[in-house]
Amino acid sequence: FLEDCGMYFPEVKSHPDKYLQRCPESVKKWLKQLKSAGKILLLITSSHSDYCRLVCEYIIGNDFEEYFDIVITNALKPGFFSHTPNQRPFRTLENDEEQEALLSLDKPGWYSQGNAIQLYELLKKMTGKLDPKVVYFGDSMHSDIFPAHHYSNWETVFILEELLGDKVMVPAETESEPLEKKGKYEEDQPEAPYFVSKQWGSFFVDKLPGLENAEETLVHTWSCKCTSTYSTIAIPSLEAIA
């Protein structure tokens, strides 16, 4: 990103509108409500700080840092959750360049790399609680949901687009009326079961042919078992909660 090399980064820099969708106003409002209610908001990404800033400024706005108390870039997940402080210390940033390793996290801010153990110690300090609860949102079972659940015992919300089936979510630029005023079932509802794709079938259930004249049986897929085991809930997008 810094050297402007390759095909990907220069293209996204030049035409972010072609590759990025702006954050819906409902989600931004929800984040502000959480912060106003005294919640500590974290942004943890494996992207480097310069790329994170480009993406967040486009999708949220130039004030995106005001939405979060702690920003962690180059987190190198899933190692962020499984590694110890000695293996993966936090580092400060100066002009997007990583600086010296930190022995501990003493205050909120923007950091690089790091580990969930020291982050949790900071959350204890900020909340004044011995066992603060963390709800972690992620869209990768490998990098987000499994390690956050398994190593940190955090509550996890799995953002799973397959819940939509073939229906594609495109955030509206402007809402015709506040979402809280809309009826629960006012918008067009997809055909049930809505999470079955006409092209791929169900992400959650496999059909096994029966022997001879026996009926076929339905079994949960491996992905479905992982989702139910390691995520507290699964949602198709942040808008579903916001």
Side-chain angles (χ1 to χ4, degrees):
F1 185 94
L2 182 64
E3 296 171 357
D4 216 26
C5 290
M7 295 176 62
Y8 179 78
F9 288 119
E11 180 68 11
V12 175
K13 280 182 183 180
S14 302
H15 307 287
D17 56 302
K18 287 176 63 178
Y19 305 101
L20 304 173
Q21 291 182 341
R22 295 193 185 276
C23 180
E25 288 300 319
S26 61
V27 174
K28 293 164 69 172
K29 180 181 177 181
W30 175 62
L31 293 175
K32 288 180 179 178
Q33 288 174 337
L34 287 174
K35 202 168 183 183
S36 296
K39 307 302 180 187
I40 296 171
L41 269 63
L42 316 169
L43 174 62
I44 307 174
T45 175
S46 292
S47 297
H48 283 267
S49 56
D50 46 12
Y51 179 59
C52 171
R53 184 175 291 104
L54 169 78
V55 172
C56 288
E57 284 183 352
Y58 181 84
I59 66 173
I60 300 177
N62 293 333
D63 62 343
F64 79 92
E65 288 185 63
E66 296 178 9
Y67 287 80
F68 304 99
D69 298 281
I70 301 169
V71 177
I72 300 168
T73 51
N74 197 23
L76 303 170
K77 297 177 289 183
F80 179 84
F81 298 100
S82 61
H83 284 62
T84 64
N86 289 335
Q87 293 172 306
R88 187 72 60 76
F90 279 97
R91 296 179 180 275
T92 55
L93 286 163
E94 193 171 308
N95 296 323
D96 293 320
E97 292 290 331
E98 292 180 345
Q99 304 300 307
E100 73 282 353
L102 299 173
L103 295 177
S104 64
L105 276 190
D106 298 321
K107 58 184 180 180
W110 190 320
Y111 300 97
S112 187
Q113 296 195 41
N115 58 89
I117 295 172
Q118 288 180 319
L119 172 61
Y120 197 65
E121 289 302 315
L122 175 60
L123 295 179
K124 288 181 183 179
K125 182 179 178 180
M126 293 176 68
T127 60
K129 297 181 179 179
L130 293 175
D131 186 25
K133 292 187 180 296
V134 181
V135 181
Y136 180 75
F137 290 71
D139 62 1
S140 168
M141 177 58 69
H142 170 265
S143 299
D144 297 313
I145 303 305
F146 169 76
H149 172 93
H150 180 74
Y151 294 106
S152 299
N153 198 32
W154 290 355
E155 302 284 357
T156 53
V157 180
F158 192 14
I159 300 173
L160 186 63
E161 290 182 332
E162 283 81 0
L163 282 167
L164 291 171
D166 293 323
K167 186 178 172 69
V168 179
M169 284 284 285
V170 179
E173 285 295 327
T174 55
E175 291 290 347
S176 57
E177 58 179 314
L179 286 178
E180 58 266 26
K181 289 187 178 180
K182 288 189 176 180
K184 189 173 181 182
Y185 301 104
E186 186 175 319
E187 296 180 2
D188 293 336
Q189 296 297 307
E191 294 179 7
Y194 63 93
F195 46 77
V196 173
S197 166
K198 293 177 181 176
Q199 182 175 359
W200 305 108
S202 173
F203 183 79
F204 306 96
V205 175
D206 273 338
K207 293 181 180 179
L208 297 183
L211 296 173
E212 296 181 359
N213 295 326
E215 293 184 359
E216 62 185 14
T217 54
L218 300 178
V219 295
H220 289 127
T221 61
W222 179 80
S223 295
C224 180
K225 290 175 183 177
C226 287
T227 301
S228 62
T229 301
Y230 301 117
S231 66
T232 307
I233 60 173
I235 57 175
S237 69
L238 279 178
E239 285 180 276
I241 280 187

